[in-house]
Amino acid sequence: MSDAPGPYPSAPDPSSGNPGPYLAVGPRVGLRPFSRDDAGEFTARARESRELHRPWLFPPCTPEAYAAYAGTLLGDPARAGFLVCERARDGRIAGFVTINNIVRGAFRSGALGYGAFAHAAGRGLLTEALGLVLDHAFGSLDLHRLEANIQPGNAASRALVRRAGFRLEGFSPAMLFIDGAWRDHERWAITAPATAPESAV
């Protein structure tokens, strides 16, 4: 696999009604699934973004780590992963959103993860992408609730979920083991618009 970014999927014409390679499109971004062929670009973007991501986020920075990471997203029905692609830049990867620990039945919930790469940070691309993911999660995936667990010092992440309509539900001390220590997290969550499911069991 090459370490060079690209080639990128072609961006569709939004007026055509065909999302092309994407699951969903917005004015500036498209969502598409992770693939093993994205290792070169994804890991290059992750290496470029180390300073932005630390100490909150540790996406895979090598082809081997990416292969393991993408493999779990592609092979596990309890996880879903989406690459955020910048349509005006021929689909280059701007970030990613994952839904982990998906539980069905009466719970119909998942845990949200996400990150923007350095070249896309602060431009509102992940905000747009998160809106598309919420539509997909509460639509095609038929989930009822998404939770984002965020370290209190991560102001950018807290602002992102607040803009998306998440509510602060609580605080969990020493919740997740990150960067060599158990870290406190705030629990932010959002639920789908009220509907009556056909069956919750």
Side-chain angles (χ1 to χ4, degrees), residues 4 9 22 28-29 31 39 45 87 108 111-112 131 133 136 139 145 154-155 163 165 174 196-197 201:
Y22 301 120
R28 294 185 295 162
V29 303
L31 297 180
R45 301 296 182 206
R87 294 173 55 231
R108 290 167 55 206
L112 197 68
V133 170
H136 184 68
R145 183 176 187 276
N154 191 344
R163 286 193 299 271
V201 295

Side-chain angles (χ1 to χ4, degrees), residues 1 32-40 63 66-68 70-75:
M1 284 180 265
R32 63 179 177 86
F34 276 72
S35 82
R36 290 178 174 83
D37 293 337
D38 291 306
Y66 177 87
T72 60
L73 289 171
L74 295 170

Side-chain angles (χ1 to χ4, degrees), residues 156-175:
S157 186
R158 295 169 77 245
L160 173 68
V161 296
R162 189 183 291 112
R163 286 193 299 271
F166 284 64
R167 61 187 174 271
L168 178 60
E169 289 191 339
F171 178 82
S172 297
M175 181 182 186

Side-chain angles (χ1 to χ4, degrees), residues 139-161:
S140 299
L141 294 182
D142 195 31
L143 296 180
H144 170 69
R145 183 176 187 276
L146 288 176
E147 181 172 308
N149 297 298
I150 303 170
Q151 294 182 59
N154 191 344
S157 186
R158 295 169 77 245
L160 173 68
V161 296

